[in-house]
Amino acid sequence: MDNDDDEPLDSETKDETESTLAPQNSDDTLYCEAEAPSSVEKKKSTQEDSETDLEIEDTEKFLTIGQKELYLEACKLVGVVPSSYFIRNIEEATMNLNHHGLGPMGTKAIAITLVSNTTILKLELEDNCIMEVGILSLMEMLQENYYLQELNLSNNDLGLEGAKIISDFLQENNSALWKLKLSGNNFSEESAALLCQALSSNYRIRMLNLSHNQFSDVGGEYLGQMLALNVGLQSLDLSWNNFHILGATALCNGLQTNVTLKKLDISMNGFGNEGALALGEVLRVNSCLAYLDVSDNSITNEGVSRIGKGLEYNESLQVLKLSLNPISMEGAVFLILSIKRNPKSRMEELDISNVMVTEQFVKVLDGVCAVHPQLDVLYKGLQGLSTNKTLIPWPNPMKLIQNYTEEQKISIVKFFKSLNPAESMTMTIGDFRKAYPQQNKVPINRYQVRELVKKLEDKEGMVSFSSLA
């Protein structure tokens, strides 16, 4: 825990606050009176020239009317030292309290304060040992707070009791919460049953992270049933669990009828070739999934061939990650030819970055990219080529473009915007890869285009020219 973030308030500040607020006698009354009365007045310290432990020169800059006082009173009630970091950032949209050692009662004090908070939209509480008391306080808070949208509760060892409390909330969820991270909480099959029952009818949660838990094949069955019914989830992370053939098949059965999920991470599991067969069937019929990560799932060339059969029909998938699977160059060739056979393929990235390929593979890939110029394939390198050598030292593409724009006396932003029919400052990676080869002013190859994408990609996964302005 960072001592600078959680120092106790100095005695004069405490005394002043305690004289302003009447003490509360119970948790219930504090929740009921969570909105601080408008009559509460902020007072400046009588020693404005002295430095407090918060190191704030002017306390008027960070005081939110009623919120600081409410938090201090909540801390006094539950018997914890106030977090100066929380007080300093109470007006910010993001509150990051990860690894702050809050404990259950410290979390409860935060929850009490947030009942009436209207500024914090994202709350990070990873690794705080919040336990049952803390999670119950947070779920009660969310019943009243209609502003908080993102919540991270990862690595708090919530277990079955925590899953019950969260599930009860999800079944009655009327809050603004749409993003929930529950990674590493020791959730097993019983927890999966509770969470999936609640999520089957919940349409508000759009992004859910359940990675690093203990779901196995039975959990996969529950999750598959949930996915068949859920109409809200758009992103689901199930990486680092224990799904094998039965769980993988059940999960994929649900995906076949799901119509909202766009991103699925099931890496670091045990799907194997049988699971790959089920995934191939999903890709054949699913028209929504755009991102699929099945890295490190013991999938061989046999399994890849089954996934490839699905790629021949799929019209929605853009990113497929298959790294760390025991795939050879033959499997890699099968994948790219499957994409070539599908004229409606939207594939933009194929990650087989642990596979060594040959020059013949590169020639085949050139032919595939001629049909699908938006495609980029990540592989390890060429067989027989030293890892200390590169294929060809391609010129820096950005430097080439800068030289051209200087000669033409135009801005580099204008050059890039000309690639976009809408002439806006952003475009999708796939559209950028398609559009660039169509101009002939500064010709570059696909490897150089990849370098441009790396330089221009923003946090939203788009190519953005804003950094060049």
Side-chain angles (χ1 to χ4, degrees):
M1 182 175 66
D2 189 342
N3 292 331
D4 292 338
D5 287 345
D6 289 304
E7 297 171 351
L9 299 180
D10 65 326
S11 58
E12 293 187 8
T13 306
K14 284 185 180 180
D15 292 341
E16 180 186 340
T17 303
E18 290 173 9
S19 65
T20 304
L21 291 178
Q24 302 290 341
N25 295 322
S26 70
D27 296 357
D28 295 335
T29 56
L30 196 53
Y31 267 102
C32 293
E33 297 175 10
E35 287 197 32
S38 59
S39 60
V40 173
E41 296 181 356
K42 295 179 289 183
K43 297 180 181 180
K44 290 186 178 180
S45 172
T46 57
Q47 296 182 347
E48 291 182 350
D49 295 332
S50 65
E51 185 179 47
T52 69
D53 62 339
L54 293 180
E55 297 181 348
I56 301 294
E57 293 180 0
D58 183 1
T59 56
E60 293 289 329
K61 293 180 180 178
F62 75 95
L63 282 176
T64 300
I65 296 176
Q67 289 286 291
K68 174 197 170 186
E69 292 87 348
L70 177 58
Y71 176 58
L72 293 175
E73 188 64 21
C75 289
K76 183 176 68 173
L77 178 75
V78 301
V80 296
V81 176
S83 167
S84 59
Y85 178 90
F86 181 76
I87 296 174
R88 289 199 305 269
N89 294 277
I90 204 165
E91 288 185 322
E92 301 297 325
T94 297
M95 177 63 69
N96 189 337
L97 292 167
N98 292 340
H99 319 295
H100 268 61
L102 294 175
M105 303 313 291
T107 303
K108 184 171 185 175
I110 297 289
I112 291 171
T113 309
L114 292 185
V115 167
S116 59
N117 184 279
T118 62
T119 58
I120 297 174
L121 307 180
K122 179 179 180 180
L123 178 60
E124 297 276 341
L125 291 173
E126 181 174 350
D127 181 29
N128 273 289
C129 193
I130 67 177
M131 302 177 69
E132 187 176 346
V133 170
I135 191 63
L136 183 60
S137 300
L138 290 169
M139 296 303 105
E140 289 178 354
M141 174 271 293
L142 285 170
Q143 299 290 356
E144 303 294 332
N145 182 306
Y146 296 100
Y147 295 88
L148 191 63
Q149 299 178 20
E150 303 179 40
L151 179 60
N152 182 5
L153 298 173
S154 299
N155 297 313
N156 276 292
D157 197 21
L158 298 177
L160 182 58
E161 291 303 315
K164 287 179 180 177
I165 294 169
I166 295 170
S167 299
D168 289 342
F169 162 74
L170 292 174
Q171 287 184 314
E172 302 176 1
N173 181 15
N174 293 315
S175 73
L177 193 69
W178 61 269
K179 184 174 182 178
L180 182 59
K181 294 183 179 180
L182 297 171
S183 176
N185 271 300
N186 197 27
F187 291 151
S188 56
E189 312 296 42
E190 291 180 272
S191 299
L194 293 169
L195 292 168
C196 290
Q197 181 180 359
L199 288 165
S200 294
S201 57
N202 182 296
Y203 62 90
R204 294 181 182 271
I205 301 298
R206 299 198 299 275
M207 298 184 69
L208 179 64
N209 187 333
L210 289 169
S211 64
H212 290 271
N213 280 296
Q214 299 178 21
F215 302 140
S216 59
D217 288 340
V218 176
E221 293 180 15
Y222 290 129
L223 286 159
Q225 293 167 10
M226 179 273 292
L227 287 172
L229 298 172
N230 181 278
V231 292
L233 278 177
Q234 296 179 12
S235 175
L236 178 61
D237 188 345
L238 294 172
S239 61
W240 292 93
N241 276 285
N242 299 302
F243 303 119
H244 295 285
I245 295 175
L246 294 178
T249 303
L251 193 63
C252 290
N253 288 340
L255 284 172
Q256 288 194 34
T257 55
N258 183 278
V259 294
T260 59
L261 195 67
K262 296 179 180 179
K263 182 175 182 179
L264 177 63
D265 187 346
I266 45 177
S267 60
M268 311 298 171
N269 279 286
F271 271 49
N273 291 333
E274 291 300 321
L277 172 62
L279 281 173
E281 291 302 312
V282 170
L283 294 177
R284 182 188 292 267
V285 300
N286 185 285
S287 60
C288 187
L289 203 60
Y291 178 107
L292 178 61
D293 190 345
V294 285
S295 303
D296 197 1
N297 266 281
S298 303
I299 297 172
T300 68
N301 287 348
E302 179 186 352
V304 160
S305 68
R306 295 169 175 181
I307 291 175
K309 290 293 184 181
L311 290 176
E312 293 182 17
Y313 298 90
N314 186 275
E315 299 179 20
S316 65
L317 196 67
Q318 298 173 16
V319 177
L320 175 60
K321 293 184 176 293
L322 283 163
S323 64
L324 302 178
N325 283 296
I327 302 169
S328 70
M329 194 194 66
E330 287 73 19
V333 170
F334 194 97
L335 284 169
I336 61 174
L337 290 179
S338 297
I339 296 170
K340 184 178 181 179
R341 295 188 192 101
N342 182 357
K344 295 183 178 181
S345 174
R346 296 183 61 195
M347 281 290 298
E348 296 179 5
E349 179 182 322
L350 174 62
D351 185 351
I352 48 173
S353 52
N354 63 304
V355 179
M356 295 290 292
V357 300
T358 63
E359 291 185 9
Q360 182 62 35
F361 173 88
V362 175
K363 291 179 181 179
V364 174
L365 181 58
D366 287 339
V368 176
C369 290
V371 179
H372 298 289
Q374 80 281 4
L375 178 65
D376 189 23
V377 178
L378 307 177
Y379 50 82
K380 187 174 183 179
L382 284 178
Q383 294 178 8
L385 190 69
S386 170
T387 56
N388 296 324
K389 299 179 182 179
T390 56
L391 294 176
I392 296 178
W394 305 112
N396 185 319
M398 189 62 75
K399 186 63 176 177
L400 295 176
I401 294 169
Q402 287 174 338
N403 291 340
Y404 171 81
T405 56
E406 289 172 2
E407 291 174 0
Q408 299 299 315
K409 296 181 178 180
I410 62 173
S411 71
I412 194 168
V413 172
K414 184 176 181 180
F415 172 83
F416 279 109
K417 286 177 69 176
S418 69
L419 302 175
N420 192 343
E423 292 197 352
S424 65
M425 294 292 282
T426 60
M427 58 195 302
T428 68
I429 292 175
D431 287 343
F432 181 80
R433 289 195 183 119
K434 277 184 180 179
Y436 196 95
Q438 295 174 5
Q439 62 81 41
N440 55 10
K441 298 169 184 175
V442 188
I444 59 177
N445 60 37
R446 69 170 181 269
Y447 304 104
Q448 292 167 301
V449 171
R450 179 190 297 171
E451 291 304 309
L452 286 179
V453 169
K454 287 181 181 178
K455 182 175 181 60
L456 298 174
E457 187 176 4
D458 63 15
K459 294 180 179 179
E460 305 299 322
M462 302 281 285
V463 171
S464 173
F465 313 133
S466 300
S467 62
L468 304 173

